[in-house]
Amino acid sequence: MKKVPIRMCLSCKERKEKKSLIRIVRTPQGVLEVDPTGKKAGRGAYVCPSRECVNRLDRRNLSFAFRIEVSDKDVSLLREVLFAHLGKDKGGLE
Ligand SMILES: [Zn+2]
């Protein structure tokens, strides 16, 4: 029997298979980045690959997840990258 790693979405708090979520990582420089490989070093958190969940990311849940003070600018930058990522994966889903 194989154990499937489960992670929680930052937005909807649902637990899902790790590979079905998008990983966000905090680099050692304190920058939040999307990590499509899931292999970058740093504190990670996860979000569903859905516009709804990405839209619901905010300073509060990101600051809490990454233990840093996240600015509004950081949030909008991160959302942009996540949306770009979603667009690539699920073209035409909009
Ligand atoms: Zn979610």
Side-chain angles (χ1 to χ4, degrees):
M1 261 213 286
K2 216 176 79 178
K3 261 214 166 165
V4 184
I6 302 292
R7 295 292 183 274
M8 189 179 75
C9 168
L10 275 179
S11 284
C12 64
K13 313 288 184 203
E14 252 182 68
R15 289 169 193 279
K16 299 189 176 183
E17 275 185 49
K18 186 179 163 187
K19 64 171 191 276
S20 71
L21 296 166
I22 300 177
R23 184 170 190 250
I24 305 163
V25 69
R26 187 190 77 190
T27 68
Q29 289 76 35
V31 180
L32 301 183
E33 287 182 355
V34 177
D35 175 19
T37 65
K39 289 183 166 65
K40 279 186 193 171
R43 173 177 281 276
Y46 296 81
V47 66
C48 300
S50 79
R51 288 181 177 264
E52 212 193 332
C53 282
V54 171
N55 268 324
R56 256 193 288 172
L57 290 176
D58 59 22
R59 286 175 56 188
R60 236 181 52 153
N61 52 28
L62 288 169
S63 298
F64 179 77
F66 290 102
R67 316 278 198 274
I68 51 170
E69 199 58 46
V70 179
S71 70
D72 284 328
K73 195 169 156 244
D74 293 333
V75 176
S76 52
L77 278 174
L78 182 69
R79 276 202 197 127
E80 251 174 66
V81 180
L82 283 165
F83 280 140
H85 188 72
L86 291 180
K88 233 184 289 166
D89 273 4
K90 322 222 164 192
L93 196 80
E94 264 176 277

